[in-house]
Amino acid sequence: MSTSTSTPAGTPGTPGSPESTAHLTSTLSETTDDDGLVTSVVRRTLLPSGLRIVTEQMAGVRSASIGVWVGVGSADEDETLHGCSHFLEHVLFKGTGSRSAMDISVALDAVGGEFNAFTAKEYTCFHARVLDVDLDLAVDVLGDMITDSLITPEDVAAERDVILDEIAMHDDDPDDVVHNLFAAQAFGEHTALGRPIAGTVESITAMTRDQVAQFHRTHYRPATIVVSVAGNVEHDHVVAQVEAAFGRNGFLDRTEAPVSRLGEGAPAPVHPGTASTIRPFEQVNLVLGMEGIARNDPRRFALSILSTALGGGTSSRLFQEVRERRGLAYSVYAFASHHADSGLVGVSVGCLPAKQDEVLSVVREQLGLVAREGISAEELERGKGQLRGGLVLGLEDSGSRMARLGKSELVHDRLLTLDEVLTHIDEVSIEDVRAVAAEIFSRPEVLAVVGPA
């Protein structure tokens, strides 16, 4: 069983609250087992600088995972800075005032740690997973990188070539190409959400060291940062270590309310239509979709069940119709992507060029059928079961728990406990799913096609 308390949005100490300049600590949830033993405690501290620290103390593990979540991504770039978030993510590994790039690599390798980073549309994350006794080291290395990176011209020049190689690699991956093309058609190729995260050859080639350094100064500040930690950890100790590691160079010497990405603007418009590009691939890769819903829309649970029933596993409608019954494609799946103010829903398929028209016909037929009739009671329960199982099994290690904490703090209105999420899933009715299907799958189509001439 579990008991939990949570701090709702808009109260002191929550993102966007004017009172959130005090040093505040709260317990967000506490979970116990059937014998009354505490298995998980989630706590949150807001520093006066606006930096947020969220931890989950997990019973029975010897690992610890830390993520530094920065509320900036490719959606925050104009065309002159296209790819700068990703560029900066790379450069921050190149050295600080006290550590060389080799020192940074050796520090975590020497203790068997896992260490990496990624950039998304609306945030950037630097993360590490180590033994619990080595957490202090991981905190110190990440704090050093965030607050004291040198960003030298030589490092920028060297990493530019690495990123250009990465862009070339993505251009050789048909799945990456078609999904980038789909986003460009849906949101517009010159818009923040429509541009690829890594940038283009032109934008990365033109980017200067001063632009990268200024981007770091502008966007990497305490109020935009969440540090999430999960595993065999003690909250107060983590807070002390974070304050020490991130206090370099006066980084925390300010008072500011935290900044979060809850989505307060107008929805980004989605443009129907077809986009295609020729690539010397053996297959044609298709993404057929339409406008979806934003990240915090309460209908997201119904949409997740709908997407799972439609194309979320080997028992799903699309897998059965496209692959099993007709043999039209090896891979077919449905997806829903969510942003602060917008979202997309779609179906992705790879098939032989001669089967493209039939594949599209079958996918459109199934989308239309679901829009008119919804899904069956059996599909509803199977979809709920898949979501429940995937959610619980996905939270069995400290890394996934850390990611859940960091993303919830940064991009959601509050952290839902596992029991609350499961309750939301269970409460979805067949009428809820039918309503979402009728609305979304009747919207105008966006189609992206990548393949041979």
Side-chain angles (χ1 to χ4, degrees):
M1 65 177 183
S2 65
T3 59
S4 65
T5 58
S6 58
T7 307
T11 59
T14 59
S17 168
E19 296 90 356
S20 55
T21 54
H23 192 146
L24 299 172
T25 298
S26 58
T27 299
L28 300 184
S29 70
E30 182 174 299
T31 304
T32 58
D33 62 18
D34 292 337
D35 296 322
L37 298 176
V38 176
T39 58
S40 165
V41 179
V42 178
R43 300 182 69 197
R44 175 185 186 269
T45 289
L46 171 64
L47 301 184
S49 60
L51 188 142
R52 288 150 285 171
I53 304 163
V54 188
T55 69
E56 181 170 5
Q57 186 173 6
M58 301 167 60
V61 300
R62 287 299 311 275
S63 68
S65 294
I66 175 173
V68 179
W69 301 79
V70 188
V72 63
S74 60
D76 301 286
E77 304 160 355
D78 60 30
E79 289 202 69
T80 63
L81 292 173
H82 181 197
C84 196
S85 301
H86 180 247
F87 204 144
L88 179 58
E89 173 220 310
H90 277 240
V91 173
L92 293 189
F93 283 87
K94 301 299 286 184
T96 71
S98 58
R99 287 182 173 96
S100 67
M102 186 64 173
D103 292 335
I104 291 172
S105 297
V106 167
L108 276 298
D109 283 349
V111 296
E114 302 168 359
F115 190 37
N116 215 326
F118 64 87
T119 304
K121 299 271 188 184
E122 296 176 316
Y123 51 80
T124 305
C125 178
F126 301 81
H127 55 95
R129 183 169 180 259
V130 294
L131 295 177
D132 50 11
V133 295
D134 298 314
L135 177 62
D136 291 356
L137 172 65
V139 173
D140 191 66
V141 171
L142 286 169
D144 193 20
M145 289 170 54
I146 296 297
T147 64
D148 196 31
S149 282
L150 299 178
I151 313 181
T152 67
E154 294 78 15
D155 290 337
V156 170
E159 211 57 31
R160 187 192 319 277
D161 290 336
V162 173
I163 294 169
L164 291 174
D165 282 344
E166 187 175 349
I167 291 172
M169 178 184 70
H170 287 306
D171 279 345
D172 286 336
D173 186 322
D175 196 54
D176 285 347
V177 175
V178 75
H179 279 274
N180 282 337
L181 187 64
F182 179 70
Q185 173 59 42
F187 293 118
E189 62 179 331
H190 298 295
T191 66
L193 289 177
R195 294 190 292 259
I197 292 170
T200 63
V201 171
E202 293 76 18
S203 67
I204 296 303
T205 300
M207 201 166 296
T208 68
R209 182 268 171 190
D210 288 344
Q211 285 177 308
V212 176
Q214 182 59 50
F215 195 86
H216 179 257
R217 288 191 295 269
T218 300
H219 294 285
Y220 279 59
R221 62 186 199 275
T224 68
I225 293 175
V226 173
V227 178
S228 62
V229 183
N232 186 23
V233 301
E234 200 282 317
H235 182 80
D236 291 339
H237 178 79
V238 171
V239 171
Q241 292 301 310
V242 169
E243 287 189 284
F246 285 76
R248 292 176 171 89
N249 302 318
F251 186 74
L252 298 177
D253 295 346
R254 65 188 84 187
T255 300
E256 190 175 354
V259 177
S260 291
R261 313 207 64 144
L262 300 184
E264 298 176 352
V270 172
H271 310 289
T274 299
S276 62
T277 189
I278 296 173
R279 288 286 194 280
F281 302 143
E282 295 296 323
Q283 281 190 317
V284 171
N285 286 266
L286 313 166
V287 175
L288 177 68
M290 57 281 298
E291 181 181 357
I293 59 177
R295 182 188 300 118
N296 283 311
D297 192 308
R299 297 172 297 169
R300 66 188 183 275
F301 300 102
L303 180 57
S304 293
I305 292 172
L306 172 61
S307 182
T308 299
L310 185 64
T314 57
S315 65
S316 67
R317 287 196 184 195
L318 287 173
F319 191 91
Q320 289 295 313
E321 291 293 331
V322 173
R323 175 172 167 166
E324 294 295 283
R325 294 190 182 128
R326 293 178 171 86
L328 295 175
Y330 176 77
S331 174
V332 55
Y333 64 89
F335 65 90
S337 60
H338 307 289
H339 304 296
D341 298 306
S342 189
L344 295 171
V345 173
V347 175
S348 181
V349 192
C351 65
L352 294 175
K355 297 182 178 181
Q356 173 183 334
D357 291 343
E358 188 177 358
V359 165
L360 284 173
S361 176
V362 173
V363 171
R364 287 182 173 122
E365 177 185 9
Q366 290 302 313
L367 294 181
L369 187 63
V370 171
R372 292 189 304 273
E373 301 178 6
I375 62 176
S376 68
E378 180 187 352
E379 288 174 314
L380 176 70
E381 293 308 312
R382 192 164 62 235
K384 288 182 177 182
Q386 284 183 255
L387 290 180
R388 283 192 297 260
L391 175 64
V392 175
L393 293 176
L395 292 177
E396 288 199 339
D397 67 85
S398 61
S400 57
R401 298 268 181 146
M402 172 276 293
R404 177 173 176 265
L405 295 179
K407 287 191 285 188
S408 292
E409 177 67 35
L410 191 64
V411 304
H412 290 290
D413 49 3
R414 70 181 184 93
L415 174 68
L416 295 176
T417 67
L418 179 58
D419 284 349
E420 286 176 316
V421 175
L422 293 175
T423 297
H424 280 299
I425 293 171
D426 287 338
E427 288 177 344
V428 173
S429 69
I430 198 165
E431 290 77 18
D432 294 331
V433 177
R434 284 174 177 164
V436 168
E439 179 181 347
I440 289 180
F441 291 148
S442 62
R443 291 171 176 171
E445 284 184 359
V446 180
L447 174 64
V449 182
V450 174

